Amino acid sequence: DMALRHYTLDVCLSTPVDCASTVQSLLSIFHEQEMTETLHDTDGHGCLATFVGKNGRLLMLRVHSQGLVTIDLQCYDDDNIVQLDNLLNALEKKLKVLLHGNITRIKRLPPLVRGAKVDRYWPTADGRLIEYDIDRVVYEEDSPYQNIKILHSQQFGNILVLNGDVNLAESDLAYTQAIMGSGKENYAGKEVLILGGGDGGILAEVVKQKPKMVTMKVIDGCKMHMRKTCGNILDNLKGDCYQILVEDCVPVLKKYVHDGKTFDYVINDLTAVPISTEPEEDSTWEFLRLILDLSIKVLCSTGKYFTQGNSVNLTEALSLYEEQLGKLSCPVGFSKEVVCVPSYLELWVFYTVWKK
């Protein structure tokens, strides 16, 4: 297991400085660390020096002509962290003295760990980098439909990651409650259809309310490793008031439409609203439209359809989704709610749709 740590130190200046003399002033620090330098020609874009040291250490120092100094330090994971901290501390201290009065900001970020056995970086839906406190891979499987990972986080418990997207953690009851109508619905004696929901969280919550019958699909691995979310509900494919179908939901929905079967609630937990804003070209949008249309068809006249949208920041994709709601085979109304789902580290939009 080889991993690389990448440290950064940025110094923002109010006015540009003499690049060459700034590099020269720092050389003694590198020499103390037995690092050898190479100066590079930057074709007039400030100064660039690289330094190579023991244990495969590599440091890049750039004094930019626009008033910015950047330092990137790469080292292996088993290197002496104290020595590296001392090097960065010495450089920061020297730069503060050297550029006294000219510094507007000094920023040193925690190191980026690259190539580690356990991947801790899972970006938000709107593309911002998040580092999770993941310490181990609990489960991994490539199913015919998707790559499934369950990762352990110290804060959030086990996290289900599907095709590289954080799906749900054991900490995320807020998600399950939101996609069930945030406590405003009574499921007692009702017919409920859950699409997706393979972690068992929605099923476990709905069944507590003694519905007439719940039908859903499931993901292997969750019943063993997401028990805080699903309890023991996934241990049996059939119970007093639920059945779990391990099959593709499109043919099942089409059969329900054909047979005239209806539900009081349809909860779609299959997929978030696609990020791509080309609904005509993207097969995910096509799938979403198909599921939406079939779901509304199997909804009884007073029924409700619940689904997740996406990150509150993806306004264009959410608007497109709302546009799709106006193109269904029968007119519908909708409302939306914004919820903080702990492990997502971003606000998430949920929709309620009903027949007009």
Side-chain angles (χ1 to χ4, degrees):
D1 175 26
M2 190 203 85
L4 188 81
R5 296 168 81 84
H6 188 137
Y7 293 84
T8 57
L9 171 62
D10 302 334
V11 184
C12 301
L13 308 170
S14 47
T15 53
V17 288
D18 182 85
C19 298
S21 66
T22 306
V23 171
Q24 286 299 321
S25 308
L26 297 172
L27 287 181
S28 60
I29 294 173
F30 297 113
H31 295 159
E32 277 165 29
Q33 294 280 341
E34 298 167 45
M35 298 183 91
T36 51
E37 72 269 12
T38 309
L39 297 172
H40 304 267
D41 179 19
T42 63
D43 196 19
H45 293 279
C47 285
L48 167 64
T50 50
F51 300 83
V52 176
K54 58 190 177 199
N55 305 330
R57 293 174 189 171
L58 169 69
L59 186 140
M60 183 166 76
L61 166 66
R62 289 194 74 174
V63 183
H64 305 263
S65 39
Q66 297 90 345
L68 174 67
V69 178
T70 57
I71 292 170
D72 291 80
L73 170 60
Q74 293 187 359
C75 62
Y76 292 116
D77 208 21
D78 56 0
D79 204 337
N80 185 322
I81 303 297
V82 175
Q83 273 183 21
L84 298 162
D85 264 343
N86 288 343
L87 169 59
L88 290 166
N89 288 339
L91 289 166
E92 191 175 330
K93 195 173 168 187
K94 183 81 179 209
L95 284 163
K96 278 178 177 166
V97 172
L98 213 62
L99 308 169
H100 177 69
N102 191 7
I103 295 173
T104 56
R105 183 172 74 232
I106 293 186
K107 190 74 181 182
R108 191 157 138 194
L109 294 172
L112 203 60
V113 182
R114 299 162 67 179
K117 194 175 176 183
V118 178
D119 187 358
R120 295 165 63 111
Y121 302 98
W122 299 95
T124 56
D126 62 345
R128 290 170 295 111
L129 185 61
I130 296 280
E131 180 179 1
Y132 283 87
D133 55 350
I134 290 166
D135 53 14
R136 66 182 187 274
V137 178
V138 177
Y139 176 88
E140 181 158 18
E141 182 208 345
D142 275 305
S143 83
Y145 299 103
Q146 58 206 354
N147 171 267
I148 300 162
K149 285 185 185 70
I150 296 175
L151 308 171
H152 179 261
S153 149
Q154 294 159 57
Q155 285 181 83
F156 304 121
N158 287 345
I159 304 179
L160 175 65
V161 178
L162 300 177
N163 291 342
D165 283 331
V166 169
N167 219 262
L168 191 84
E170 290 179 311
S171 61
D172 296 346
L173 184 60
Y175 176 98
T176 305
Q177 288 170 335
I179 206 166
M180 286 175 61
S182 295
K184 297 194 273 286
E185 306 301 322
N186 177 11
Y187 287 90
K190 300 286 171 57
E191 287 268 0
V192 186
L193 175 63
I194 302 169
L195 306 173
D199 48 75
I202 299 169
L203 179 62
E205 290 302 308
V206 171
V207 164
K208 287 177 187 172
Q209 295 195 32
K210 304 276 185 288
K212 190 168 156 194
M213 183 50 98
V214 180
T215 309
M216 70 156 287
K217 283 179 73 212
V218 72
I219 293 171
D220 284 343
C222 292
K223 70 177 172 193
M224 184 93 90
H225 303 293
M226 299 285 287
R227 285 189 92 83
K228 278 192 189 144
T229 298
C230 65
N232 62 359
I233 199 83
L234 300 180
D235 293 355
N236 300 300
L237 291 180
K238 233 175 162 55
D240 291 343
C241 60
Y242 72 90
Q243 57 172 343
I244 296 171
L245 306 177
V246 187
E247 55 192 293
D248 188 14
C249 64
V250 174
V252 175
L253 274 169
K254 285 182 172 168
K255 188 180 183 315
Y256 288 155
V257 173
H258 179 263
D259 296 349
K261 170 128 182 79
T262 60
F263 294 87
D264 299 294
Y265 294 101
V266 177
I267 301 173
N268 176 0
D269 192 27
L270 287 166
T271 170
V273 166
I275 290 173
S276 100
T277 49
E278 299 293 329
E280 301 320 314
E281 281 89 68
D282 187 344
S283 62
T284 329
W285 276 102
E286 210 174 303
F287 176 69
L288 185 138
R289 267 198 297 265
L290 175 66
I291 296 293
L292 193 51
D293 212 48
L294 290 169
S295 297
I296 298 301
K297 282 177 177 161
V298 300
L299 210 55
C300 71
S301 58
T302 55
K304 284 184 183 171
Y305 170 84
F306 293 120
T307 189
Q308 60 165 321
N310 210 312
S311 164
V312 77
N313 284 350
L314 294 174
T315 48
E316 206 180 331
L318 294 168
S319 300
L320 266 169
Y321 178 71
E322 290 163 24
E323 239 171 72
Q324 308 304 314
L325 292 174
K327 296 176 181 174
L328 299 175
S329 52
C330 72
V332 298
F334 74 89
S335 64
K336 56 186 170 181
E337 184 186 11
V338 176
V339 172
C340 176
V341 179
S343 79
Y344 287 15
L345 302 170
E346 59 187 322
L347 294 176
W348 212 251
V349 177
F350 291 85
Y351 286 96
T352 304
V353 183
W354 57 88
K355 287 179 174 177
K356 276 185 176 171

